[in-house]
Amino acid sequence: AVTNEPVPLGMHVHWMWAPLNERGQMGGPTCQLVSHSPPATKRKAKKSWIRCVLEVSSCDMIDISKSDSHTYDPSGKTHYQSVVRLVTGRKHQVRAQLASLGCPIIRDTLYEPIAGLTLDRLGQDEDEEEEALDVGVKACRVPTEPIGLQAHAILFGGIRAKARTPWWGDNILSP
């Protein structure tokens, strides 16, 4: 995953609002809303929330060059490439969790507008946070260009497939 902010290393546990993950779900925002805090009761957790876990094992500063092979303009921006291991696999999990940490994936117009906004923060300064969430959700759009996310490798049914170099290249900068 490529972001403009460094992603904190380690295990990250979040909770996704379950009704948005149901097969064939229509209506509501197209993005997944998350909470950093667990639900108040196990009953609520089972009924309305899905536990999502991922591990960020590295986060390195990278150089993205302007290229004929993509239309992304990297000028004046710092970029970080993170290695993420999914412990649970949920719809939009990496995108939603990194955005909730304030590190949205580059070009991800669906989650960038709600970066840093989580459902558990609504109770703190309710009016201000709720308004920010409403504005953010209204600005969410399905991306029309490739985002900075690509599986490095996938293992499924005993078969391992390894990806090619991503569109942004593979230019990790030495410290």
Side-chain angles (χ1 to χ4, degrees):
V2 177
T3 62
N4 292 124
E5 298 293 331
V7 180
L9 300 180
M11 295 292 250
H12 298 280
V13 178
H14 293 90
W15 298 85
M16 281 188 178
W17 185 242
L20 295 178
N21 254 320
E22 293 173 356
R23 190 178 299 272
Q25 183 274 336
M26 301 296 285
T30 53
C31 53
Q32 297 289 326
L33 302 173
V34 301
S35 173
H36 290 200
S37 301
T41 66
K42 284 189 179 199
R43 184 171 169 238
K44 278 186 181 180
K46 197 169 200 166
K47 182 179 177 187
S48 302
W49 295 92
I50 297 173
R51 185 173 181 262
C52 301
V53 183
L54 61 75
E55 179 182 20
V56 179
S57 58
S58 70
C59 181
D60 299 302
M61 193 179 293
I62 63 168
D63 178 46
I64 299 179
S65 303
K66 192 159 173 94
S67 162
D68 292 337
S69 65
H70 64 79
T71 58
Y72 179 70
D73 183 8
S75 59
K77 299 174 190 160
T78 304
H79 296 88
Y80 299 88
Q81 180 172 284
S82 298
V83 174
V84 176
R85 182 181 69 89
L86 286 172
V87 177
T88 58
R90 309 289 185 215
K91 177 181 173 183
H92 294 207
Q93 180 181 342
V94 174
R95 296 166 70 185
Q97 283 189 267
L98 294 186
S100 77
L101 293 168
C103 308
I105 294 168
I106 61 170
R107 283 182 155 176
D108 192 354
T109 54
L110 189 59
Y111 286 94
E112 193 171 42
I114 58 171
L117 299 174
T118 60
L119 293 173
D120 54 320
R121 290 181 54 194
L122 288 180
Q124 294 172 1
D125 188 0
E126 199 165 317
D127 293 338
E128 194 175 304
E129 290 292 330
E130 194 169 321
E131 185 177 331
L133 188 61
D134 286 344
V135 168
V137 167
K138 285 178 187 170
C140 291
R141 299 287 180 262
V142 174
T144 57
E145 297 182 295
I147 65 172
L149 181 64
Q150 176 176 311
H152 165 74
I154 189 166
L155 180 64
F156 188 77
I159 299 171
R160 180 182 163 96
K162 188 170 170 140
R164 294 184 179 154
T165 302
W167 65 262
W168 60 85
D170 195 14
N171 301 321
I172 294 176
L173 300 174
S174 301

